[in-house]
């Protein structure tokens, strides 16, 4: 199992395609979004990540399915963070307690069949003794990883990038800060 944590800041988006193109139709992806944000903003962020996954390959929808030779969809687990906050509870009171479920359900239908969004939206609650949905999320990850997900070798060019990043990470105690002036020089 390889875990990649993609930064959510816009300046990192161009690099995401490099890795996402190698995992198309054979991955389990957890998308974490801040559920305290207004509904339209959460929809936009979720749609962005799902669109990026969908665009990582120009595979037509008819290529996905259960028949021999067809691809499996990317399995996506959606995690609503900050659901243990007053800001989230205010949104839930305003839009109804299932507003996050309704939001994800509409996107689930929009991105099928190439992306299989899990029907449950996981809500960690760190004020709860059991962590809220953390145990359920763990179970869903284990189940998604244990199903017949096709494994393929990472392309050599991606492997060399990963090795360079790992070499830099082990060679430096702290990551160097790269700003716009450095990049434009």
């Amino acid at each position: 199992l390889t875990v990649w944590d993609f930064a959510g800041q816009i300046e990192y988006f161009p690099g995401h395609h490099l890795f996402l193109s190698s995992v198309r139709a054979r991955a389990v992806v957890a998308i974490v979004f801040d559920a305290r944000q207004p509904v339209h903003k959460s929809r936009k962020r979720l749609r962005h990540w799902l669109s990026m996954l969908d665009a990582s390959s120009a595979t037509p929808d008819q290529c996905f399915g259960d028949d021999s030779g067809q691809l499996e969809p990317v399995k996506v687990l959606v995690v609503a963070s900050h659901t243990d906050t007053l800001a989230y509870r205010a949104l839930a009171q305003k839009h109804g307690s299932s507003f996050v479920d309704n939001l994800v359900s509409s996107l689930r239908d929009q991105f099928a069949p190439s992306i299989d969004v899990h029907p449950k939206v996981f809500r960690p609650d760190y004020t709860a003794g059991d962590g809220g949905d953390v145990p359920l999320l763990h179970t869903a990850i284990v189940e998604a990883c244990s199903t017949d997900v096709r494994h393929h070798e990472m392309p050599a060019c991606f492997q060399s990038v990963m090795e360079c990043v790992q070499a830099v990470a082990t060679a430096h105690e702290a990551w160097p800060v790269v700003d716009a002036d450095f990049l434009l020089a």
Side-chain angles (χ1 to χ4, degrees):
L1 175 65
T2 301
V3 177
W4 293 335
D5 181 5
F6 291 108
Q9 295 86 354
I10 195 166
E11 57 269 19
Y12 295 107
F13 288 176
H16 297 161
H17 289 284
L18 176 69
F19 295 98
L20 290 175
S21 63
S22 70
V23 299
R24 183 73 178 116
R26 54 191 170 274
V28 176
V29 175
I31 299 176
V32 181
F33 76 101
D34 186 346
R36 297 173 301 179
Q37 299 297 318
V39 175
H40 72 279
K41 189 171 184 177
S42 293
R43 179 184 310 279
K44 184 177 178 181
R45 295 294 284 189
L46 287 167
R47 186 176 288 132
H48 163 79
W49 285 103
L50 292 167
S51 295
M52 192 167 7
L53 279 172
D54 198 36
S56 65
S57 170
T59 308
D61 284 351
Q62 64 267 25
C63 294
F64 295 92
D66 296 327
D67 294 337
S68 176
Q70 288 188 306
L71 299 172
E72 286 191 33
V74 174
K75 297 170 195 281
V76 174
L77 307 171
V78 177
V79 180
S81 70
H82 300 89
T83 57
D84 52 0
T85 64
L86 292 175
Y88 170 78
R89 291 185 183 121
L91 278 174
Q93 187 173 11
K94 178 181 178 181
H95 298 287
S97 61
S98 60
F99 81 97
V100 171
D101 299 299
N102 296 336
L103 168 65
V104 172
S105 178
S106 69
L107 294 172
R108 177 177 167 54
D109 296 339
Q110 181 182 343
F111 288 94
S114 61
I115 297 176
D116 179 18
V117 179
H118 194 283
K120 171 145 184 65
V121 178
F122 299 93
R123 295 171 178 83
D125 181 349
Y126 299 109
T127 63
D130 64 355
D133 284 347
V134 172
L136 296 173
L137 176 60
H138 175 264
T139 300
I141 291 170
V142 169
E143 288 174 358
C145 290
S146 65
T147 59
D148 184 26
V149 176
R150 295 174 179 91
H151 299 278
H152 296 276
E153 291 293 320
M154 184 181 294
C157 62
F158 296 161
Q159 184 65 34
S160 64
V161 169
M162 199 152 102
E163 289 169 1
C164 288
V165 169
Q166 289 171 337
V168 169
T170 57
H172 294 82
E173 288 184 26
W175 285 91
V177 176
V178 177
D179 58 18
D181 294 332
F182 175 82
L183 294 174
L184 297 173

